[in-house]
Amino acid sequence: MLRYFARKLLVYALTFVVAVTVNWMIPRFMPGDPVSAMISRARVSQPEAVDAMRAYYNNLFGFDQPMWQQYLHFWASLMHGDFGLSIWVFPKPVSEVILDALPYTLALMIPAILLSWFVGNWLGALAARRKILDNTVLPAGYVLTAMPYMWIAVILAWLFSAKAGWFPISGGYSLDIQPSMSVDFFLDALHHWVLPFLSLFLVALGGWAIGMRNMIIYELESDYSSYLAALGAPHRLIRRYAFRNAVLPQITGLALQLGVLVAGALVTEIVFNYPGLGNLILAAIQNRDFFLLQGAFLFIVLGVLIANFLIDLAYVVVDPRTRTGMAGGQS
Amino acid sequence: MSTLPPQPSGTPAPDAVAETAGPSAAAAPPLTPGRESLHYAVRNPKLLIGLAIVLVLLFAGVLGPLILDSSDPNAYVGPQAAAPDGKYWLGTTTFGQDIYTQFVYGLRSTFLVGVIGGGIAAIVAMLVGFLAGYRGGIVDEILNMLTNIVLVIPSLAVLLIVNAYLGVRSVGVQGLFIGLTSWPWAARAIRAQTFSLRSREFVDLARLSGSRTWRIIFREIAPNMSSYLFMTFILLFGGSILIASSLDFIGLGPTEGVSLGLMLQSAQQWSALQLGMWWWFVPPGIGITAVVGALYVANVGLDEVFNPKLRES
């Protein structure tokens, strides 16, 4: 088990190093000079201002130093939580801008991921034993998984906001209310949260239901199930074993899906103009705020890594083979 | 975005293949000769329906632009913000662009990005998966580590920064980058398959007769999992389309021409929703969903054709 975790941690550490390195490399090795590009986009005409900006950016990027020093410096400032200053909301530090948006994204993603996983697996398991349910869950599941996240978001916004008027069409809270810890704010935020949550939940749901259905059917047709049935074991018992075995790949699937779900949350936020990381990234791209973009990227990677680690922990609890080290060959 | 598509019964989560010798192990060697596969293929409604939808849309995308009189999908041709009627089948945008023309051209780039992205991803996944699964040992360790790293980094985030910095945006470049980031789950699945095939007698025989690694992989192992590889490609194809539509929607799509994702983006940008212009944002979404969904359904059908165990259930 120690070996299992050592391996996992090594992969995570390496992933983080790679992510940081990619983040560092892109502005330096991509064609074109990002500093000149940024200055030209800022449309500054006075030569003194241009010089000052160039000096400022060169200093921020550290382009005047040798490469290896730049790289080490990048790491050092990261370790101090220094992501540079945002250009879009100058002169706020990038880390602050991101931390303001983070709670909204988390409030959207964590319930959507967990609930869609639980409900999807439950629906899939049910579908595997009832023909009528199977004939509805399966096609619906395929349609849902094939939908782009932003499109189902647009459709939901159209039906329930523009047409029915049940929910607000955009924003994370009403404009006439200040974010605070009050009940009023909470209810208002909840009202704005429903539709973006629903669109994330629905798309993810289909995939889990289909996956679970197929795994259960496979398990029910396997040798141990036939053996149990031949021994005269009750169907309930066989199904319970099948469920336990079928749920393991679904846990692995959850870890694999995280990146997709993050991406889904980002585009969904943009549709609903939800004040999370997705909107921040859009603003960063539109305003050429590369520090903000890179900071958001690192936060996303960090979030995915932490979530993966938690799933690994859960896996150890659910699958005894990881504890006895039988799955040591897997990393 | 490393898309892990809905796992059809032949492709459970890659780990499951290795751990439980899952259903795909049974799917791997197509013991059925070609003619028998064909026999079941023409009788499989899922495969036929999925394939029919994909082909109809493909023809619309390939031939449609040739029939239309307008060669520029973004040209301002009609009345502004008109609902669908006999002349403008899908209505027009706020600027008087014909949505049907945009849709047909958009389908074209959708298929193009799917082929490029899915193709590149499939090639990388095969190279990595075959080599890791067949050689084992240290090669496997290193490739596995690489796969896991790329798997964990959310590829949409990488694509966002690369695209934003690069500035050059075309369907080809987009497909290339999607392909280079979406291969890991497929590589893991192919590795697990290769792993179960490499100790079979016919592979041993080839090895004893002195064949080289790549020759054994492409002559002995790959043909035995060709059906599986084909299904993997289909899933990567669908995944690439979805990723591309997200990128387009964020505003990182091709700068020239039109795509279904770009149509959604401009509908969103010009408040089609608030104006109630449903004909602007409904068709592109249906187009993407239909192509990807039909591919997934056809894939399940293929699975049933190749895997006798799944046929009668």
Side-chain angles (χ1 to χ4, degrees):
Chain A
M1 187 168 141
L2 215 65
R3 213 175 99 101
Y4 169 81
F5 271 112
R7 259 165 184 282
K8 290 280 182 189
L9 280 178
L10 180 65
V11 170
Y12 292 153
L14 273 177
T15 310
F16 189 63
V17 171
V18 170
V20 171
T21 309
V22 166
N23 216 354
W24 173 82
M25 270 168 61
I26 286 171
R28 285 167 180 81
F29 294 105
M30 277 291 156
D33 174 12
V35 172
S36 310
M38 269 190 270
I39 291 170
S40 69
R41 278 182 200 113
R43 296 208 177 90
V44 183
S45 50
Q46 294 148 294
E48 311 95 72
V50 169
D51 283 346
M53 278 183 82
R54 186 173 289 278
Y56 170 73
Y57 284 130
N58 273 336
N59 194 282
L60 260 178
F61 275 126
F63 280 148
D64 34 3
Q65 295 163 328
M67 280 293 179
W68 64 271
Q69 250 179 21
Q70 289 183 30
Y71 185 62
L72 290 183
H73 185 76
F74 191 74
W75 269 103
S77 48
L78 266 193
M79 290 299 147
H80 289 100
D82 175 13
F83 291 85
L85 298 180
S86 166
I87 298 165
W88 175 50
V89 273
F90 193 82
K92 225 175 167 188
V94 163
S95 49
E96 249 178 63
V97 180
I98 289 174
L99 284 177
D100 283 346
L102 203 57
Y104 292 97
T105 297
L106 291 180
L108 212 53
M109 288 216 58
I110 293 174
I113 289 176
L114 293 180
L115 279 176
S116 66
W117 193 82
F118 279 114
V119 177
N121 280 327
W122 176 73
L123 265 181
L126 274 185
R129 53 187 245 231
R130 293 218 185 98
K131 198 76 194 162
I132 310 164
L133 207 58
D134 199 20
N135 288 338
T136 50
V137 167
L138 204 58
Y142 278 111
V143 172
L144 283 177
T145 38
M147 278 188 190
Y149 282 91
M150 66 275 180
W151 190 61
I152 196 168
V154 167
I155 294 296
L156 285 177
W158 177 47
L159 291 178
F160 297 114
S161 294
K163 288 238 154 196
W166 294 343
F167 297 100
I169 205 161
S170 82
Y173 47 84
S174 301
L175 289 174
D176 56 357
I177 204 166
Q178 278 293 316
S180 64
M181 292 306 266
S182 65
V183 179
D184 279 352
F185 174 71
F186 178 76
L187 288 177
D188 186 60
L190 194 68
H191 197 206
H192 284 77
W193 171 88
V194 173
L195 284 185
F197 161 78
L198 210 59
S199 53
L200 280 177
F201 172 79
L202 282 177
V203 177
L205 184 72
W208 297 129
I210 293 170
M212 191 61 179
R213 171 206 173 260
N214 291 341
M215 284 311 296
I216 288 264
I217 287 179
Y218 167 70
E219 293 292 338
L220 285 177
E221 282 168 1
S222 67
D223 291 342
Y224 74 88
S225 294
S226 332
Y227 180 64
L228 276 176
L231 287 180
H235 278 295
R236 276 183 73 87
L237 183 75
I238 302 176
R239 272 204 299 269
R240 199 153 55 203
Y241 278 116
F243 185 82
R244 263 195 86 99
N245 279 316
V247 103
L248 292 179
Q250 292 292 85
I251 296 177
T252 321
L254 186 59
L256 294 179
Q257 274 284 32
L258 269 173
V260 185
L261 292 168
V262 169
L266 300 186
V267 287
T268 303
E269 279 178 13
I270 292 171
V271 173
F272 289 103
N273 199 13
Y274 205 72
L277 283 184
N279 250 314
L280 214 56
I281 286 178
L282 183 66
I285 289 172
Q286 285 170 347
N287 295 288
R288 303 279 153 188
D289 187 345
F290 291 116
F291 299 112
L292 188 55
L293 194 60
Q294 292 183 313
F297 170 69
L298 280 183
F299 263 77
I300 290 172
V301 171
L302 212 58
V304 171
L305 287 178
I306 292 170
N308 263 288
F309 184 69
L310 292 178
I311 292 170
D312 283 340
L313 284 181
Y315 207 85
V316 171
V317 176
V318 186
D319 188 358
R321 281 172 300 183
T322 19
R323 284 200 292 274
T324 54
M326 271 181 54
Q330 293 271 304
S331 53
Chain B
M1 176 156 55
S2 63
T3 301
L4 181 77
Q7 305 133 5
S9 42
T11 46
D15 263 3
V17 182
E19 277 170 18
T20 60
S24 43
L31 299 168
T32 47
R35 191 177 291 183
E36 198 187 328
S37 295
L38 195 67
H39 172 87
Y40 285 106
V42 294
R43 279 165 187 76
N44 188 300
K46 287 184 192 124
L47 178 60
L48 294 179
I49 293 171
L51 214 57
I53 296 175
V54 173
L55 284 180
V56 165
L57 291 171
L58 181 64
F59 276 122
V62 173
L63 301 177
L66 302 177
I67 300 164
L68 293 164
D69 31 283
S70 160
S71 61
D72 177 14
N74 291 326
Y76 309 116
V77 290
Q80 296 180 347
D85 59 25
K87 186 154 191 307
Y88 300 101
W89 293 356
L90 293 177
T92 56
T93 68
T94 316
F95 311 103
Q97 294 152 309
D98 183 29
I99 291 179
Y100 178 72
T101 311
Q102 291 196 335
F103 181 76
V104 171
Y105 274 95
L107 273 177
R108 198 177 246 205
S109 57
T110 291
F111 277 104
L112 195 62
V113 88
V115 169
I116 298 173
I120 291 173
I123 289 169
V124 177
M126 273 161 58
L127 292 179
V128 172
F130 280 141
L131 200 60
Y134 181 72
R135 291 295 288 269
I138 186 80
V139 177
D140 181 34
E141 289 280 334
I142 294 170
L143 288 178
N144 214 0
M145 196 73 94
L146 179 75
T147 310
N148 283 330
I149 289 173
V150 183
L151 194 62
V152 174
I153 297 180
S155 46
L156 187 84
V158 181
L159 291 172
L160 282 177
I161 351 185
V162 173
N163 261 347
Y165 273 111
L166 203 58
V168 190
R169 291 180 208 145
S170 65
V171 174
V173 175
Q174 200 180 42
L176 175 73
F177 280 107
I178 292 172
L180 289 180
T181 47
S182 60
W183 53 269
W185 69 264
R188 277 176 85 168
I190 291 171
R191 169 186 170 269
Q193 293 273 331
T194 313
F195 210 70
S196 73
L197 279 177
R198 75 164 180 185
S199 48
R200 302 277 172 91
E201 287 91 347
F202 63 91
V203 179
D204 283 337
L205 199 66
R207 204 179 297 128
L208 283 174
S209 66
S211 298
R212 292 184 179 278
T213 301
W214 285 111
R215 200 184 150 81
I216 295 180
I217 287 173
F218 284 117
R219 284 290 171 80
E220 311 293 337
I221 294 180
N224 274 291
M225 46 193 276
S226 54
S227 62
Y228 185 77
L229 294 175
F230 183 61
M231 293 194 305
T232 307
F233 169 68
I234 290 183
L235 294 182
L236 288 169
F237 190 106
S240 298
I241 291 175
L242 285 180
I243 302 170
S245 70
S246 293
L247 282 173
D248 293 354
F249 185 72
I250 296 176
L252 293 173
T255 37
E256 280 176 16
V258 60
S259 75
L260 296 181
L262 280 176
M263 287 172 73
L264 275 175
Q265 190 222 2
S266 50
Q268 162 81 6
Q269 200 174 359
W270 303 105
S271 325
L273 205 59
Q274 285 83 349
L275 298 171
M277 295 167 64
W278 54 267
W279 57 89
W280 197 351
F281 56 82
V282 169
I286 288 182
I288 298 171
T289 309
V291 173
V292 178
L295 282 171
Y296 287 170
V297 170
N299 203 52
V300 179
L302 272 181
D303 204 9
E304 288 173 2
V305 169
F306 292 131
N307 189 352
K309 253 184 137 178
L310 298 170
R311 245 171 236 155
E312 295 309 321
S313 57

